[in-house]
Amino acid sequence: MANQISKQKKDKLSLRTLFEIFIVSTRLGFTSFGGPIAHLGYFHEEYIRRRKWMDEKSYADLVALAQFLPGPASSQVGIGIGVARGGVLGGIISFLGFTFPSVIALIMFAVILQGASIGEAGWIHGLKLVAVAIVAHAILGMAQNLTPDLHRKIIALCALVGTLLWQTIYAQISIILLSALIGYFIYKKQTIQENHTSVHFPISKKLGVICLTFFFALLLLLPLLREATSIQWIAMFDRFYRAGSLVFGGGHVVLPLLEREFVATNWVSAEAFLAGYGATQAVPGPLFTFAAYLGAVINGWKGGFIATVAIFLPAFLLILGTLPFWDSLRHNAKVKGALMGVNAAVVGILIAAFYQPIWTSAIIEASDFACAAILFSMLAYFKLPPWMIVIAGMLAGTLWSLL
């Protein structure tokens, strides 16, 4: 009897946890504007600062892992936080809550508003200023925790300079690997006290191996299946899956690949492609949801959902496949020094992304800087929640455009 009551309480707690994950991630899905770096700022504010679902070091380690993997880094971080909080089902719910608001919006854009010009709207510029405030706040917090000594400050500075001056698709992963090597040699003999709680990812290594095997099997077999069947749905799934599997660096990097896959092959017109890109900039959530728009243009709402599943499936399989091994590796004494270097480099990479494209696309006039400073103060000093900052930024941008 006691065991049954305990099980009922555990199930109730589990359902409550999953519901909480759904509510929080969905709110972020509706309010997280500004691209992948801004998303990491929103996650840091909501999950780490306010709810303390994960400590600063574990969050930084998870961000570092996502930077290593191909696919949408912010989505993978969100999935990882959901897994840590509520298991595999929590990761799925976290992904759905964060992703599907923009998926639905972009499918609607494809069906109703295709070709509409919204890129110059005042509220869009207001959202860019919100991204400035959110990312600046996240960087300050992460820099304080992840670059406390001179060595790590230098690593962060070198990563910042290298990212800005070496503009290639291999720059980010190369800088992270080099920083890991430097961190290993600097800190391998040092014992550094770290005040953080242990985060458990409730995924077995067996499930991790299955996910990684499935990832590589689909990557190899889908092109063969496409050639053998010539079915449009399989061909479309293969193109989006390959795009999600082979792209490092986030949503903006995937655009040239998608253009080659769909515009050059006449699946989508160049005009429709550019219109969809403009629409993607106007909605919250991950930039990879651009696939939902393209899929809807090709084959209606069903195509939109299939494209979404195909482009995000690699990210899901990779993060679930690596988390069980990452959890043990990051606490290994031989790996800690490398992670210190990687986390310092992540700070530098975030600062570089804060400058380009977030700062350069948002801060054009003195009034933009003034507005961003007010939004930052509302977040950092008045402790207002991010969704209020989003609304304030949209209203400010709209009002300013009317003056």
Side-chain angles (χ1 to χ4, degrees):
M1 185 67 177
N3 290 337
Q4 185 178 1
I5 294 175
S6 176
K7 184 177 185 300
Q8 289 176 347
K9 288 183 178 179
K10 185 176 180 181
D11 291 342
K12 187 176 181 180
L13 181 63
S14 178
L15 288 174
R16 186 184 304 168
T17 299
L18 294 176
F19 183 72
E20 182 185 22
I21 293 171
F22 176 75
I23 293 298
V24 176
S25 62
T26 302
R27 184 166 67 242
L28 286 169
F30 277 108
T31 58
S32 295
F33 293 87
I37 303 301
H39 299 162
L40 296 178
Y42 284 101
F43 289 169
H44 185 270
E45 179 65 28
E46 185 68 31
Y47 292 135
I48 312 306
R49 286 181 182 267
R50 296 188 66 239
R51 299 184 178 273
K52 302 187 185 304
W53 285 4
M54 187 177 287
D55 64 282
E56 294 275 359
K57 178 65 167 54
S58 297
Y59 178 74
D61 288 349
L62 184 58
V63 172
L65 172 60
Q67 301 289 344
F68 273 115
L69 300 175
S74 61
S75 296
Q76 290 168 320
V77 170
I79 293 168
I81 292 173
V83 169
R85 184 69 176 173
V88 175
L89 189 55
I92 295 173
I93 291 174
S94 176
F95 166 76
L96 293 176
F98 180 62
T99 305
F100 266 81
S102 57
V103 168
I104 300 298
L106 287 170
I107 290 176
M108 292 175 62
F109 270 122
V111 175
I112 301 172
L113 300 177
Q114 187 176 349
S117 178
I118 57 175
E120 301 302 321
W123 60 275
I124 296 293
H125 188 69
L127 292 175
K128 293 180 181 179
L129 297 176
V130 170
V132 171
I134 293 287
V135 176
H137 192 227
I139 287 173
L140 288 175
M142 294 182 71
Q144 183 178 7
N145 288 282
L146 301 179
T147 57
D149 55 60
L150 181 60
H151 286 134
R152 281 180 275 187
K153 285 181 171 63
I154 293 174
I155 292 174
L157 176 61
C158 292
L160 161 65
V161 174
T163 303
L164 289 175
L165 299 183
W166 187 22
Q167 299 282 338
T168 73
I169 59 175
Y170 303 107
Q172 183 170 300
I173 188 66
S174 300
I175 289 170
I176 288 175
L177 289 173
L178 182 60
S179 300
L181 186 64
I182 294 172
Y184 170 78
F185 283 110
I186 292 177
Y187 295 109
K188 65 178 181 179
K189 294 183 179 180
Q190 297 186 29
T191 301
I192 296 180
Q193 298 295 325
E194 296 174 351
N195 296 318
H196 66 84
T197 58
S198 178
V199 175
H200 173 62
F201 295 103
I203 306 177
S204 67
K205 292 185 178 180
K206 180 179 179 180
L207 178 59
V209 171
I210 291 173
C211 289
L212 291 176
T213 302
F214 196 47
F215 165 78
F216 288 108
L218 285 175
L219 190 61
L220 295 173
L221 294 178
L222 278 174
L224 300 177
L225 188 61
R226 181 192 67 193
E227 294 297 329
T229 60
S230 299
I231 298 174
Q232 186 191 40
W233 292 104
I234 294 177
M236 186 172 72
F237 195 96
D238 171 56
R239 291 170 186 267
F240 281 112
Y241 184 85
R242 189 164 60 252
S245 300
L246 303 177
V247 171
F248 290 88
H252 292 291
V253 182
V254 82
L255 292 174
L257 179 57
L258 290 176
E259 186 176 21
R260 289 195 300 270
E261 291 285 352
F262 295 101
V263 177
T265 56
N266 296 318
W267 282 52
V268 176
S269 69
E271 293 77 13
F273 187 90
L274 292 175
Y277 178 63
T280 304
Q281 301 302 308
V283 299
L287 290 172
F288 268 53
T289 53
F290 182 39
Y293 169 87
L294 294 176
V297 170
I298 295 169
N299 221 319
W301 65 269
K302 292 181 181 179
F305 283 114
I306 289 177
T308 302
V309 172
I311 202 167
F312 281 103
L313 182 58
F316 217 96
L317 293 174
L318 284 170
I319 196 70
L320 291 182
T322 54
L323 276 180
F325 305 99
W326 185 250
D327 189 41
S328 59
L329 281 175
R330 75 188 188 93
H331 292 108
N332 187 299
K334 296 180 180 179
V335 178
K336 280 186 176 180
L339 282 177
M340 290 176 190
V342 169
N343 290 333
V346 166
V347 173
I349 291 170
L350 288 176
I351 297 173
F354 175 67
Y355 171 72
Q356 173 70 35
I358 293 175
W359 181 279
T360 56
S361 66
I363 307 300
I364 301 171
E365 301 176 351
S367 58
D368 297 326
F369 182 79
C371 183
I374 293 172
L375 294 172
F376 175 85
S377 299
M378 292 169 63
L379 180 65
Y381 306 134
F382 294 96
K383 307 299 182 183
L384 297 179
W387 65 267
M388 291 187 66
I389 311 302
V390 170
I391 293 175
M394 292 174 65
L395 290 175
T398 302
L399 292 174
W400 189 256
S401 67
L402 295 176
L403 295 178

